[in-house]
Amino acid sequence: MQRKGSGVPVPRRYHHGCIGLVVCIAVLASSSGFFGYYYYMYYGLGLQGKNLHSSLQSRLHRLRGPSTNSSSRYQNPSDAPTGGGPTTSPSRALGASSATAPGTSPPPPPPPSPPPSQHRPHCFHPGDDHDAIAVTGHRDGFGACYSAQLQALALARHTCKHYVFIPFQRVSHNQDAQVMNRFCGLASDAEVTNRTRVKTYHNNVDGRQYSGRWMTPSVRAELLSLYRSTPKPDDCPYDVAIHIRRGDVIDTANMEARWIDDWVYAALISDWLYHCPDASIAIYSEGQAEQFRNITHADGRVRLVLNGDLRVTYHHLVTAPVLVVAHSAFSVSAGLLNPNRIIYPGNRNSSELPGGTEYVRLGTNQLVWDSNMRWC
């Protein structure tokens, strides 16, 4: 090759040097660095020497910036990704700048993953005319409103459908519906979308008289997990918790289905303390202390918890080592969540209570306990 207009041959290495210089500049500009550097050194000018080599490496380091070794970006090495793929942060992957403008706060952290209760495994069979079950419209006390929801979820699991939680709109007895929605911890299944076909029941699901059969151990465990997914008071400090329904019921003929006589509770407490003299017993109810004299007989081992905070009372019933339920959705629903012992005084079984409930039959002014009864 000759230089134009001179007739002087151009050395081939000069030609390679020009090409190498151009390639080096282009590659360095794209922050690649290494390839351009070595091409320039060996095929370009042919320069060697330790000082020049160190100088170019220093310049290359400034162009490339600090190392982005994946483990160095995590204070805890166990937090670093373990795959062979890229470790780019989400903001950089989307092209966002990592710098924060002056006077502005850093962007908020990403939202946490849904709690485990949102990923509850259950069977699902599509078809029929609906894919999910919901219930709404109850305006009674918390026990009745909550029981309706527990039965709806149990029915959904029994029929292999999704469950949809429709929050309480009104809870009687001066309870804040929004507070009780948070307290109960219920949530719709994660699979539910705005396209899910929902069968909505009014007040109660059909067939609730059989709901005790739907309350399998796995369903009860799921209900308890949901209940415990939100903040709760301290657990019950007593050995035996007895719910006595008073306040909204009186001893009249039309309240017979909800009323249990004082002598039943007096006999129950007397028999229990006879076998377990060191047991601590608490009565949860409404009213005045003198209304319960025929039950406690001024025994110091029996504590009256009257007109207390509904959430504290309910949580004590759920966590009591032994729970004696009344003819009330309030304590019956707590019995569905309580994983310990449930005792029900009465001559007929409750279809809404799960298997394993211990029934105490009512004789003539005395209780008929099961021969295999465990006391303490």
Side-chain angles (χ1 to χ4, degrees), residues 26-367:
V27 174
L28 283 174
S30 63
S31 299
S32 176
F34 284 103
F35 179 80
Y37 165 70
Y38 286 113
Y39 190 96
Y40 178 76
M41 285 292 295
Y42 290 102
Y43 293 95
L45 301 179
L47 298 177
Q48 297 181 1
K50 183 176 180 180
N51 293 338
L52 180 58
H53 179 80
S54 300
S55 175
L56 288 174
Q57 276 195 328
S58 176
R59 182 176 180 184
L60 177 62
H61 179 75
R62 289 196 302 270
L63 286 171
R64 291 178 58 84
S67 172
T68 57
N69 182 276
S70 61
S71 62
S72 66
R73 293 187 286 116
Y74 295 87
Q75 293 182 355
N76 186 352
S78 63
D79 293 338
T82 56
T87 58
T88 307
S89 66
S91 61
R92 289 189 179 273
L94 295 175
S97 173
S98 60
T100 303
T104 62
S105 58
S113 300
S117 61
Q118 295 294 321
H119 302 284
R120 305 184 295 271
H122 61 272
C123 65
F124 175 68
H125 295 161
D128 302 326
D129 59 345
H130 64 284
D131 301 317
I133 290 175
V135 65
T136 187
H138 231 304
R139 295 174 177 270
D140 206 339
F142 171 71
C145 294
Y146 193 27
S147 290
Q149 296 293 336
L150 299 183
Q151 292 163 358
L153 189 148
L155 177 60
R157 299 295 178 259
H158 181 69
T159 57
C160 291
K161 302 296 182 184
H162 299 316
Y163 166 71
V164 175
F165 173 53
I166 300 178
F168 312 135
Q169 299 301 315
R170 179 180 176 274
V171 180
S172 62
H173 306 306
N174 300 317
Q175 296 300 318
D176 188 319
Q178 300 305 316
V179 171
M180 300 316 294
N181 281 324
R182 293 190 294 270
F183 174 75
C184 72
L186 290 171
S188 299
D189 289 337
E191 298 85 353
V192 173
T193 68
N194 56 3
R195 295 184 179 182
T196 302
R197 299 174 302 165
V198 182
K199 183 175 183 178
T200 303
Y201 292 90
H202 184 69
N203 287 344
N204 295 290
V205 298
D206 293 343
R208 70 188 179 103
Q209 64 270 26
Y210 307 111
S211 61
R213 304 176 188 176
W214 310 334
M215 297 295 174
T216 63
S218 61
V219 169
R220 293 182 66 193
E222 179 181 356
L223 295 176
L224 181 60
S225 176
L226 285 168
Y227 171 77
R228 286 196 172 276
S229 66
T230 55
K232 296 295 183 291
D234 293 336
D235 289 356
C236 181
Y238 307 104
D239 299 320
V240 182
I242 303 175
H243 178 227
I244 300 180
R245 185 169 187 174
R246 294 296 184 259
D248 63 335
V249 296
I250 56 177
D251 186 10
T252 59
N254 63 338
M255 289 292 180
E256 184 178 356
R258 302 180 182 181
W259 180 271
I260 297 178
D261 287 333
D262 287 355
W263 76 263
V264 174
Y265 293 112
L268 190 151
I269 292 173
S270 177
D271 290 350
W272 199 278
L273 291 176
Y274 174 80
H275 291 89
C276 310
D278 296 328
S280 59
I281 299 177
I283 293 175
Y284 295 85
S285 189
E286 296 176 301
Q288 302 302 318
E290 35 293 358
Q291 296 176 247
F292 299 88
R293 273 186 211 167
N294 295 333
I295 298 176
T296 63
H297 297 294
D299 193 315
R301 291 170 293 181
V302 182
R303 173 77 181 272
L304 284 176
V305 184
L306 305 177
N307 314 309
D309 183 280
L310 182 141
R311 288 168 291 174
V312 173
T313 296
Y314 193 83
H315 189 66
H316 282 189
L317 300 185
V318 170
T319 57
V322 178
L323 169 62
V324 180
V325 301
H327 296 328
S328 165
F330 186 76
S331 55
V332 168
S333 63
L336 296 176
L337 304 178
N338 189 310
N340 304 312
R341 297 179 63 187
I342 311 300
I343 296 177
Y344 185 86
N347 285 331
R348 56 193 180 93
N349 293 2
S350 171
S351 60
E352 298 179 15
L353 283 172
T357 299
E358 302 174 42
Y359 292 92
V360 181
R361 304 308 179 187
L362 310 183
T364 304
N365 296 326
Q366 65 178 356
L367 301 181

